Amino acid sequence: MSRDKNKKKERKKGRRWFFKRRWFWIFVGICFLLAGVGAYIGNQMLDPYREIAGKYEMVRVGEKEEMSFILDRNGEQIGTMFVENRLSIPLEEIPEIFVNAVLAQEDQRYYEHDGVDWVGVARAAWLNLRSGGITQGAGTITMQLGRKSFDLLGEAKRKKWSGYERKIIEAFVALRIEEHVREGLKGEFMGDEVATKKAAKEKVLEMYLNLVPFGSGYYGVKSAALGYFGKQPQELTVEECASIVACLKNPSRISPLNNLDENKKNRDHVLRRMALEGMITEAQKNEMLAKPVVLNPQPIRRDKSYLYERVAEQTRKLVGEEELSRGGYTIRTTIHSAIQQEAERSMKDHLLSIEETEGYFLQKYDEYDPRSGAPKYLQAAALMIDHQTGEVLAHVGGRDYRHSQYDFVESGSRPLGTGFFPFVYASAFENGGHPAVLVEDQQLNAMLVGVDGTEGVVGEWGMEIPNPTYDGNVTSRTALRQSKIAATLRVGQEVGLDQVLQTSKNFGFKLPEKEEMPNQKLLPRMLVGFDNVSVPQVVSAFSTFPRGGTRVDSRRYIQEIRDREGNLVYPKEDGGGSDLKTTDVCSEATAFQIHSILNDVYQKGNLSEEARG
């Protein structure tokens, strides 16, 4: 028995450990060789994707459109301009509980990885292998930021990348993003790697939370908080934070404005994830799960209006479509907000008073149903400019932009009526007449005028004062001041219709040319403003008189534009681009005489306080 034990001890003593055996090191060598070969092959296979990711400019990370602000000429904000409903805020203004909700749903190990969660990648690869399809994505917040910043989804479609190829590119882009942000912050923390990495993660998170869509056209935390719950981000409750964060998975489908039940289901999932991560207690979770999603939408509005469209149009021309889409501009307009508001109020009040007239039978503003198509109620428009500079002080394109986007200033035209009279007299004064010339103010047969009537006197048609009187011979000044129709028709016919037409064209009116009316001749009805003209034509034409004979050809809505850094974009530093365009129309004497008479209209004529009762 003792001999057997001794033999066993001798055998054990003579046996070498496995790591001292030759075959073990051969096996290890083969493993390292295979791993090296595998790594080399893998690296070669990944090189094309690394090269693609290397082409993206890191300065574009987090690039987004910022809201532009529209100011009046005195610096008062009168509107905002944006494509994406967004107003960026620093991470400090985003509540910690909101950030926690995002991390719980999107990236639990966010502060531990360098842009790619390799643990998540391994788990997703294993689950996808087991399921035989792609059920897990392992995307991180940084990968999502890269995807949004460089539109990698769109590029994948254009270049026909597979889902795996896109994910690989996103991973390389994410690694570059975090490295780029860390490098940019190194100097601020004096080489403290821990502090630099934490600050870099917070910077990436801030860019992400201000960039991503939360559904219903809301981009970024602040826009979503106001758009869904009418609150600033700091005022959100935990369940409201979870409701907004839930939208990240599918912004359109999960938006509470689109599907309240779907949003609650996904909100509850976020709350459960937060409880699992220890961000809220089980008791808090259960209490919140029982609450409904209660909305109070108060979104940031564009304040779109007829004026907004004109400002946006001129701004696009001045800075370019692509630059404007980035936003962040401060646009100081020529508008005087007090005048603009008064023009809008006065127009609405005047039209409402007409609708309240006894016997009025047309559609009224209050009766309009948007489902019935374009409105048929009374419309009006107003345009006021500074005749010295061409700067627009007020622009009212219609009664209600929500009902109709048709701008009656830009696109509308109507007969000018007796508003055309100053140009008849301007033609006469340019051809030897003057305000003291006597003209006959007697009834005139409407058949001679051709204003759709076959009999009767002109005094019965179109007068702007009740109970018209005829004064026999009156001066041209009196005839224009009191809008004497019969007298004006005689003045126009005496100077000649061809001459009045030519003068009108000089003033900027686009009246029908004789060539456009084959087999027809000019009719005296032109003299009573029968032809359609536009509001800008009228305003431009009337600017001639106070300007001493030159008319304003261009309207300006913009005084200056500054970018997000406050740099002057328009006008240029050398003053270029702001020159006023004018055209010589008539003599200074004629302009002065007509201007003087038009001033009389408000003092002694049919627009005086006495005439208006």
Side-chain angles (χ1 to χ4, degrees):
M1 186 75 174
S2 177
R3 187 182 299 172
D4 292 338
K5 286 183 178 179
N6 289 334
K7 287 182 178 179
K8 287 180 179 179
K9 285 180 181 179
E10 290 175 3
R11 284 197 301 269
K12 189 173 182 180
K13 186 177 180 180
R15 186 185 301 164
R16 289 182 298 176
W17 290 99
F18 70 90
F19 58 81
K20 293 183 178 181
R21 293 176 182 271
R22 183 180 177 187
W23 63 263
F24 171 74
W25 291 108
I26 293 173
F27 174 74
V28 170
I30 292 172
C31 287
F32 271 107
L33 179 63
L34 291 175
V37 171
Y40 175 78
I41 294 173
N43 194 51
Q44 291 296 310
M45 291 175 64
L46 293 176
D47 264 352
Y49 305 111
R50 186 183 292 108
E51 185 179 346
I52 292 172
K55 292 180 179 178
Y56 296 106
E57 299 176 8
M58 290 295 104
V59 292
R60 290 180 51 201
V61 175
E63 188 176 72
K64 56 192 176 296
E65 178 204 27
E66 294 288 348
M67 185 175 294
S68 294
F69 295 95
I70 304 172
L71 312 179
D72 83 338
R73 67 193 299 114
N74 298 315
E76 179 182 338
Q77 184 177 323
I78 57 175
T80 54
M81 187 183 300
F82 53 87
V83 176
E84 296 176 348
N85 194 320
R86 181 204 319 279
L87 193 59
S88 297
I89 56 176
L91 189 63
E92 301 83 64
E93 294 183 20
I94 301 174
E96 184 179 359
I97 195 65
F98 190 97
V99 174
N100 286 342
V102 172
L103 298 180
Q105 174 175 268
E106 299 295 319
D107 196 345
Q108 295 86 29
R109 282 178 291 277
Y110 175 71
Y111 281 98
E112 300 168 22
H113 62 67
D114 290 327
V116 179
D117 182 4
W118 298 111
V119 174
V121 170
R123 185 190 68 244
W126 170 245
L127 292 174
N128 291 339
L129 185 64
R130 287 184 58 185
S131 66
I134 301 178
T135 60
Q136 300 289 318
T140 64
I141 282 175
T142 318
M143 290 171 68
Q144 292 181 51
L145 176 62
R147 185 190 310 156
K148 297 292 182 186
S149 297
F150 304 112
D151 188 25
L152 296 182
L153 283 175
E155 189 150 357
K157 290 180 181 178
R158 291 190 295 271
K159 296 186 176 179
K160 298 181 179 179
W161 295 337
S162 68
Y164 283 115
E165 287 176 317
R166 177 175 60 80
K167 285 289 184 182
I168 293 169
I169 292 168
E170 284 181 6
F172 281 124
V173 168
L175 293 171
R176 286 192 64 210
I177 288 173
E178 297 222 355
E179 181 183 5
H180 171 76
V181 176
R182 280 197 305 273
E183 286 295 319
L185 293 172
K186 271 186 177 179
E188 296 183 24
F189 297 94
M190 304 297 290
D192 187 336
E193 292 295 329
V194 175
T196 300
K197 180 175 180 179
K198 183 176 183 295
K201 299 297 285 189
E202 290 175 347
K203 183 67 175 176
V204 169
L205 191 58
E206 178 181 290
M207 289 190 287
Y208 172 80
L209 292 174
N210 281 301
L211 179 68
V212 291
F214 287 98
S216 296
Y218 304 135
Y219 292 78
V221 178
K222 184 166 185 174
S223 176
L226 291 168
Y228 291 134
F229 300 108
K231 295 180 178 181
Q232 295 294 329
Q234 302 93 322
E235 302 168 337
L236 293 170
T237 64
V238 178
E239 60 270 20
E240 288 169 345
C241 290
S243 233
I244 295 173
V245 170
C247 298
L248 287 170
K249 289 296 183 187
N250 190 320
S252 177
R253 180 172 59 85
I254 303 176
S255 162
L257 291 176
N258 296 342
N259 193 326
L260 208 58
D261 292 337
E262 187 69 21
N263 180 263
K264 184 180 185 306
K265 183 175 75 174
N266 284 272
R267 179 205 72 175
D268 293 349
H269 171 73
V270 175
L271 292 172
R272 293 189 183 97
R273 288 292 317 157
M274 293 176 73
L276 283 174
E277 296 294 326
M279 298 167 177
I280 57 175
T281 65
E282 283 293 317
Q284 288 174 321
K285 179 199 73 175
N286 293 332
E287 181 183 349
M288 293 178 215
L289 290 178
K291 295 181 180 180
V293 178
V294 181
L295 301 177
N296 180 32
Q298 295 181 35
I300 305 165
R301 299 192 181 279
R302 285 183 177 86
D303 300 321
K304 293 195 78 172
S305 63
Y306 304 103
L307 173 60
Y308 170 94
E309 295 294 351
R310 301 284 71 76
V311 171
E313 179 184 44
Q314 281 208 357
T315 304
R316 274 193 293 269
K317 290 179 180 177
L318 293 172
V319 304
E321 186 78 42
E322 184 176 348
E323 287 297 320
L324 183 60
S325 69
R326 296 190 178 99
Y329 290 97
T330 300
I331 304 155
R332 185 185 287 266
T333 68
T334 62
I335 299 298
H336 193 301
S337 60
I339 296 175
Q340 175 74 21
Q341 292 167 14
E342 179 59 25
E344 293 173 356
R345 185 203 61 76
S346 178
M347 183 193 76
K348 290 177 180 178
D349 289 351
H350 182 64
L351 295 178
L352 281 173
S353 69
I354 294 174
E355 291 177 346
E356 291 169 0
T357 304
E358 185 178 353
Y360 185 85
F361 60 90
L362 300 175
Q363 184 186 59
K364 296 182 179 180
Y365 176 82
D366 293 338
E367 298 171 349
Y368 172 67
D369 182 352
R371 295 170 297 183
S372 64
K376 295 181 175 59
Y377 53 69
L378 281 177
Q379 290 283 9
L383 178 67
M384 181 183 292
I385 70 167
D386 182 329
H387 64 269
Q388 293 291 356
T389 63
E391 294 181 344
V392 177
L393 302 176
H395 177 119
V396 185
R399 202 165 173 183
D400 195 322
Y401 185 85
R402 297 169 303 170
H403 295 174
S404 171
Q405 286 75 58
Y406 184 90
D407 190 328
F408 287 89
V409 170
E410 293 300 312
S411 306
S413 62
R414 289 289 185 274
L416 187 54
T418 55
F420 187 71
F421 284 3
F423 307 101
V424 175
Y425 286 90
S427 181
F429 294 174
E430 283 289 279
N431 288 274
H434 55 80
V437 170
L438 292 177
V439 292
E440 183 183 357
D441 178 35
Q442 294 291 349
Q443 292 181 355
L444 188 68
N445 193 306
M447 294 174 64
L448 299 178
V449 186
V451 286
D452 299 330
T454 56
E455 60 183 355
V457 294
V458 172
E460 296 172 346
W461 176 89
M463 281 298 284
E464 296 180 351
I465 57 175
N467 305 315
T469 59
Y470 298 94
D471 300 325
N473 289 332
V474 296
T475 62
S476 296
R477 185 182 193 91
T478 299
L480 174 55
R481 184 183 68 210
Q482 296 184 0
S483 293
K484 294 282 190 179
I485 293 179
T488 302
L489 283 165
R490 289 187 171 93
V491 169
Q493 288 176 322
E494 182 174 338
V495 74
L497 298 182
D498 286 326
Q499 187 60 54
V500 173
L501 177 64
Q502 183 57 51
T503 300
S504 302
K505 288 170 57 181
N506 293 342
F507 274 93
F509 290 114
K510 294 178 173 58
L511 301 182
E513 300 282 356
K514 295 175 73 173
E515 294 77 10
E516 298 173 11
M517 303 182 296
N519 304 320
Q520 292 189 35
K521 63 178 183 178
L522 291 174
L523 296 175
R525 66 186 185 186
M526 174 186 70
L527 303 173
V528 290
F530 179 85
D531 298 294
N532 284 351
V533 294
S534 69
V535 174
Q537 288 174 28
V538 175
V539 171
S540 174
F542 271 94
S543 74
T544 304
F545 305 125
R547 287 185 57 81
T550 61
R551 64 177 168 86
V552 175
D553 286 339
S554 56
R555 285 174 285 144
R556 289 180 56 212
Y557 288 82
I558 311 295
Q559 280 189 343
E560 70 170 33
I561 302 173
R562 292 186 180 271
D563 63 19
R564 65 187 70 189
E565 282 80 35
N567 300 316
L568 189 66
V569 176
Y570 171 85
K572 303 297 184 184
E573 294 290 354
D574 59 3
S578 59
D579 293 337
L580 178 66
K581 297 178 181 177
T582 61
T583 298
D584 292 334
V585 175
C586 64
S587 68
E588 187 174 350
T590 294
F592 173 81
Q593 290 165 346
I594 298 295
H595 187 53
S596 173
I597 297 171
L598 292 179
N599 279 329
D600 275 359
V601 173
Y602 286 93
Q603 302 297 323
K604 308 172 186 176
N606 61 325
L607 292 181
S608 66
E609 191 172 327
E610 180 182 350
R612 287 179 283 138

